[in-house]
Amino acid sequence: LEPLSAIRADGDPAEEIQAYINRKLAFSKERPTASRLFANEIIQGAPLLKPLLQGGLRDIVDEKAAVIRGWAKTGKIADVDPYHLIFVIWAVTQHYADFAAQVEAVVGGNLSDRKFFRETETAIDHILLRGILPSAAAPKIVLVLSWPVVPNGCRAIMPASYPALPRRGLYFFLALASSSSRRASTMLS
């Protein structure tokens, strides 16, 4: 419960979630046998751990789900189901311990290899965080009304064979708005 308990509501969501992912992956590296024993207990219906799961674990998950929901409501992360986000983090990070033989057979590495651990940590952080964090740099297609030039930071999307635009006059076109052209997309929203 300790890795999940460490998530702070007042922290930066990206940093808090990344740190949680990394703590879970480190646990899988440092205590793979404990992870596999826990997985086996759960697979068998949790006969010994059910009271813990329905008590302390549920309480901490509910608490952290409220934190994640709060981040989503304020736009700090995408509007994701917090329980499923936690389950995905558990599944991904514990996979490297619980299915270490499979991982090693497929990619030839395991978490005890320092380089493989760092690469895994980076990949998981990238995949999971990209899926939930708002991206100011993500390109957006916007309809641009321009007179007579393309706004700074926008790039017209037209086939190469499209005839040249007139040098004067009012025209519409689709453009990719980058973070540097945020003003253009804001004015059109």
Side-chain angles (χ1 to χ4, degrees), residues 151-165:
N152 185 28
C154 288
R155 180 178 45 154
I157 306 171
M158 294 178 212
S161 61
Y162 193 84
L165 291 171

Side-chain angles (χ1 to χ4, degrees), residues 46-130:
L48 302 174
L49 293 179
K50 194 164 275 200
L52 173 67
L53 300 177
Q54 293 173 333
L57 179 63
R58 178 184 285 166
D59 293 344
I60 192 70
V61 170
D62 285 345
E63 177 187 322
K64 299 310 173 178
V67 169
I68 294 166
R69 196 174 292 112
W71 289 336
K73 283 184 180 177
T74 59
K76 294 178 181 178
I77 65 169
D79 187 14
V80 297
D81 182 295
Y83 293 96
H84 291 290
L85 174 60
I86 292 168
F87 295 156
V88 166
I89 292 169
W90 289 350
V92 170
T93 56
Q94 289 170 220
H95 177 85
Y96 291 90
D98 302 346
F99 296 92
Q102 179 188 49
V103 171
E104 191 160 9
V106 172
V107 295
N110 62 52
L111 295 182
S112 63
D113 174 344
R114 178 179 256 153
K115 182 177 183 267
F116 182 78
F117 180 83
R118 282 194 311 271
E119 289 169 352
T120 302
E121 194 173 54
T122 299
I124 293 171
D125 289 346
H126 181 78
I127 292 165
L128 291 180
L129 292 175
R130 280 256 172 136

